[in-house]
Amino acid sequence: MSILVTGGAGYIGSHMVYELVDARESVVVLDNLTTGFHWAVPGEAKLVVGDIGDDALVKDVVRKHQVKAIIHFAGSIVVPESVADPLGYYLNNTVKSRALIAAAVASGVGQFIFSSTAAVYGAPRQVPVQETAQLEPMSPYGSSKLMTEIMLRDTSIAHDFSYVALRYFNVAGADPRGRTGQSTKGATHLIKVACEAALGKRPAMDVFGTDYATRDGTCIRDYIHVKDLARAHVSALEHLRGGGKSEIFNCGYSHGYTVIEVIEAVKRVSGQDFPVRFAPRRPGDPPEIVADSSKIRTNLGWQPQYDDLDRIVRHALDWEDRLSRLKRNAEPVAPVGA
Ligand code: UFG
């Protein structure tokens, strides 16, 4: 009996796979390696290179590996890119998720965990934002994920199929043991960009917007360590395995930091100063988004262990440093003691 992890060669997916193999679960990864890396998948997991929209392949993998649960990460994740290419995002995130869900139902896989996003809320009227808040995505990315949530809800009513959708806030950090991390080239996410600047991989960085109605004028986000996020999936899996009903949970820490506070943390932890330019607002950025995470804490007993910005930054920096010592083809040097 196995767990199928789609997108398991990517940033969050690879942390999930490590979490599962560390717990001695049998794992099969399905990833088309568009943005993922084969080396990010631990040797204990089986990697199948292919597409989640390939119905015959998914059914074959489910049968061969006796898949009982699917954890679905595969998809496109860059908000501005989704504005430029909405149909590409609806294809990758919505149409292909529909194919995956259909293959799951046809193959009798009744447990499904979905990577959703805080982007389904748009610019929330109240923060911290609860799961019951109005859903008003501000980008095709957010809409593409919300559509999948709706398909899951309706499928769970019609079929013997239960799901948990986890709405991620701002995911950052890396495996504390240095085995995987955020490796995408041309990254746009704040903590990765700031770590690259600290390590001299870019000459400077921009702060997008300094005139928001926040404590220092820059946007506030709720940064969650990727390891705590992976553990939230483990709790969700236990919930479904125990016969728990379909649920949606926010995944964040319930407090936020401004862009300037994050940059200060990166400078403090790295001991490096780097030039920071004040730039205009980035289109589509909500001023403040922070999770109310009481539901997942209460219902699943989830207790974060890395709720500490400096620690998140430390792990992100360590991974960024490891990445700089690339051997060949973006393959990081083996972690010490691995
Ligand atoms: N920012 C900068 N400079 C940079 C990069 C980012 O000032 O070089 C700012 C952004 O303008 C924003 C904040 O830092 O105010 C965070 O931006 P990110 O790009 O790191 O993340 P987002 O909040 O835009 O989006 C992320 C995920 C989404 C998810 C969302 C939920 O990418 O998938 O968090 O809050 F939906």
Side-chain angles (χ1 to χ4, degrees):
M1 289 210 294
S2 305
I3 299 164
L4 171 61
V5 180
T6 74
Y11 169 45
I12 305 173
S14 62
H15 287 82
M16 185 75 237
V17 176
Y18 272 107
E19 197 70 34
L20 292 169
V21 300
D22 287 350
R24 310 225 172 282
E25 297 275 4
S26 166
V27 179
V28 54
V29 169
L30 179 60
D31 198 303
N32 64 12
L33 300 182
T34 309
T35 53
F37 301 93
H38 68 90
W39 50 256
V41 178
E44 297 91 328
K46 163 92 183 140
L47 170 63
V48 176
V49 178
D51 205 283
I52 59 162
D54 183 341
D55 181 64
L57 175 66
V58 173
K59 286 178 176 161
D60 189 49
V61 168
V62 167
R63 197 180 49 248
K64 252 193 210 144
H65 297 273
Q66 297 179 285
V67 170
K68 289 283 171 284
I70 295 176
I71 309 183
H72 176 34
F73 293 94
S76 303
I77 58 155
V78 181
V79 175
E81 190 180 70
S82 78
V83 176
D85 179 23
L87 296 177
Y89 270 65
Y90 291 124
L91 173 62
N92 277 346
N93 291 354
T94 312
V95 175
K96 290 187 181 180
S97 290
R98 188 221 161 265
L100 180 70
I101 297 164
V105 169
S107 309
V109 178
Q111 296 164 5
F112 198 99
I113 299 174
F114 174 57
S115 301
S116 190
T117 169
V120 298
Y121 299 115
R125 290 165 206 188
Q126 266 198 325
V127 283
V129 60
Q130 295 186 329
E131 289 84 352
T132 48
Q134 195 96 354
L135 301 175
E136 296 172 308
M138 286 166 60
S139 64
Y141 168 70
S143 300
S144 70
K145 290 282 188 175
L146 179 55
M147 288 181 192
T148 304
E149 283 195 12
I150 293 168
M151 289 191 290
L152 287 168
R153 182 197 64 197
D154 295 346
T155 304
S156 74
I157 294 167
H159 300 281
D160 183 15
F161 177 92
S162 303
Y163 76 96
V164 170
L166 298 175
R167 292 180 180 156
Y168 308 164
F169 284 65
N170 287 57
V171 188
D175 178 43
R177 290 169 62 188
R179 298 170 296 180
T180 186
Q182 169 61 285
S183 310
T184 328
K185 288 211 172 75
T188 58
H189 288 141
L190 177 65
I191 291 187
K192 183 163 172 83
V193 167
C195 289
E196 288 176 355
L199 294 178
K201 292 186 182 183
R202 54 174 83 214
M205 66 169 294
D206 293 323
V207 173
F208 298 130
T210 52
D211 58 349
Y212 290 98
T214 59
R215 49 185 176 266
D216 63 17
T218 65
C219 289
I220 295 178
R221 295 287 183 274
D222 186 339
Y223 295 91
I224 174 174
H225 195 294
V226 63
K227 177 91 175 159
D228 279 333
L229 183 65
R231 290 213 173 120
H233 292 72
V234 172
S235 302
L237 186 63
E238 282 166 5
H239 168 81
L240 292 176
R241 282 174 167 172
K245 66 180 174 66
S246 297
E247 292 278 10
I248 295 175
F249 297 108
N250 284 341
C251 290
Y253 291 147
S254 300
H255 55 83
Y257 294 96
T258 68
V259 173
I260 286 177
E261 287 164 354
V262 169
I263 293 172
E264 279 168 359
V266 173
K267 289 187 174 182
R268 183 170 60 241
V269 175
S270 66
Q272 297 297 322
D273 199 6
F274 48 86
V276 174
R277 298 176 296 231
F278 291 149
R281 290 183 177 199
R282 192 175 69 174
D285 274 343
E288 178 171 10
I289 178 150
V290 172
D292 180 328
S293 52
S294 48
K295 185 178 172 193
I296 189 168
R297 291 173 198 254
T298 307
N299 290 27
L300 300 188
W302 176 70
Q303 282 185 334
Q305 292 175 8
Y306 295 90
D307 179 1
D308 174 349
L309 182 60
D310 283 16
R311 226 159 148 217
I312 292 175
V313 166
R314 178 76 267 156
H315 291 157
L317 275 167
D318 286 349
W319 177 254
E320 205 54 56
D321 186 41
R322 199 184 295 291
L323 267 185
S324 333
R325 290 180 273 125
L326 291 181
K327 272 187 192 159
R328 198 162 49 91
N329 298 333
E331 187 158 358
V333 290
V336 182

